[in-house]
Amino acid sequence: MKKIEVIQNVLEANETIAKRNQQLLDRHRVFAINIMSAPGAGKTSLILQTLTRLKGRLNMAVIEGDVASTVDAEKVQSEAKAVVQINTRNMPESCSLMAAMIESALKDMPLDNIDLLLIENVGNLICPSEFTLGEHKRMVISSLPEGDDKPIKYPLIFIDADAVIINKMDLLPHVDFDIAAFHRSVEGLNPKAEVFQLSCKTSEGIERWCSWVLEQVKTNAIKR
Ligand SMILES: Nc1nc2c(ncn2[C@@H]2O[C@H](COP(=O)(O)OP(=O)(O)O)[C@@H](O)[C@H]2O)c(=O)[nH]1
Ligand SMILES: [Mg+2]
């Protein structure tokens, strides 16, 4: 019983800090997207594509979450206005970013000069769905080599997502992945989710994704 209370407290504390993060982002007119997936599905690749395509139209910053290393931050730093790397090794929830980590990272960011903040979560399909960060939109990437059954096996992360991406479409001739079955699973869990099929390698479908991102940032800016 005590253990359950502890977990409850952690989630509530996280929620409080997440709300504070969103208020801070709103005050500075920064739109934030939380990017989640299993390791290797293409989070960093999609961030790079987005930075390259939308450069000149939006000022963008990136928070990179990984258990260890600065590998991903190094990949994106030349394309972004600001990059902060968070390493979760030795932290209480090393399998996910948490709102307090984002709160610290935001202190190092020139928020008045940023329109869009892309947050790469730790590669994991379970923990990140439990911890909101203060983001405005949540998205999950599935890639073809992972198989088409991930929404069935890890439903929570798909239920909460505003957008679902099927990445590595260029590999379709080489892997068994039933696109229609995947769409049906997502539709069953979360009919409102926007679904994108794309390839970060060939850039197929990237244009539509970037248009959606641009539209979200603009709509949100008007609302505030
Ligand atoms: N064939 C193919 N490979 C991709 C695609 N997107 C990413 N990759 C590769 O998949 C690997 C993992 O990508 P990365 O973006 O680092 O994934 P992350 O761990 O989710 O950040 C890298 O070797 C990428 O080059 C794609 O659309 N097609
Ligand atoms: Mg990465």
Side-chain angles (χ1 to χ4, degrees):
M1 188 63 193
K2 264 199 176 131
K3 196 168 182 202
I4 293 170
E5 275 171 23
V6 170
I7 291 168
Q8 201 65 38
N9 289 345
V10 169
L11 288 173
E12 274 171 22
N14 185 74
E15 199 60 38
T16 305
I17 302 169
K19 281 197 186 120
R20 220 155 59 206
N21 287 346
Q22 195 171 84
Q23 284 163 1
L24 178 69
L25 293 168
D26 284 346
R27 265 203 310 283
H28 293 273
R29 301 189 167 273
V30 181
F31 185 80
I33 305 180
N34 181 0
I35 303 172
M36 303 173 288
S37 82
K43 297 178 294 300
T44 308
S45 303
L46 187 63
I47 287 171
L48 266 173
Q49 282 274 6
T50 310
L51 292 173
T52 312
R53 295 285 171 127
L54 294 180
K55 207 158 72 172
R57 282 190 276 181
L58 293 176
N59 290 320
M60 292 168 285
V62 180
I63 294 177
E64 286 291 347
D66 270 308
V67 174
S69 90
T70 53
V71 172
D72 284 354
E74 284 159 24
K75 278 187 196 156
V76 302
Q77 71 179 353
S78 65
E79 302 293 331
K81 282 257 169 204
V83 180
V84 175
Q85 175 81 53
I86 299 171
N87 283 154
T88 60
R89 190 174 49 193
N90 303 328
M91 293 196 190
E93 277 295 340
S94 63
C95 59
S96 169
L97 288 178
M98 292 175 76
M101 302 173 193
I102 301 300
E103 187 174 48
S104 306
L106 292 179
K107 290 190 179 120
D108 292 334
M109 294 214 150
L111 295 179
D112 282 332
N113 298 326
I114 296 167
D115 307 305
L116 174 64
L117 172 63
L118 299 168
I119 304 172
E120 176 170 348
N121 217 314
V122 178
N124 192 302
L125 286 176
I126 304 166
C127 311
S129 56
E130 301 281 356
F131 296 98
T132 55
L133 306 174
E135 71 274 17
H136 298 91
K137 296 282 173 193
R138 298 161 75 75
M139 52 162 294
V140 57
I141 306 176
S142 265
S143 65
L144 263 53
E146 293 167 54
D148 52 44
D149 57 1
K150 294 302 160 289
I152 299 169
K153 289 185 175 170
Y154 305 94
L156 197 57
I157 203 160
F158 290 89
I159 288 170
D160 285 346
D162 298 290
V164 175
I165 295 211
I166 310 173
N167 187 31
K168 310 197 185 180
M169 284 299 292
D170 57 290
L171 297 179
L172 193 55
H174 311 290
V175 294
D176 291 329
F177 189 103
D178 186 337
I179 298 279
F182 184 93
H183 277 277
R184 275 197 304 277
S185 301
V186 172
E187 174 78 21
L189 293 167
N190 180 356
K192 284 194 185 144
E194 198 81 33
V195 185
F196 298 87
Q197 291 177 202
L198 55 84
S199 165
C200 291
K201 189 180 169 116
T202 66
S203 298
E204 167 199 348
I206 296 286
E207 199 71 47
R208 192 185 147 230
W209 157 251
C210 286
S211 303
W212 183 82
V213 172
L214 210 50
E215 199 185 298
Q216 300 307 309
V217 176
K218 285 185 180 161
T219 311
N220 200 268
I222 293 163
K223 265 195 253 160
R224 279 183 242 149

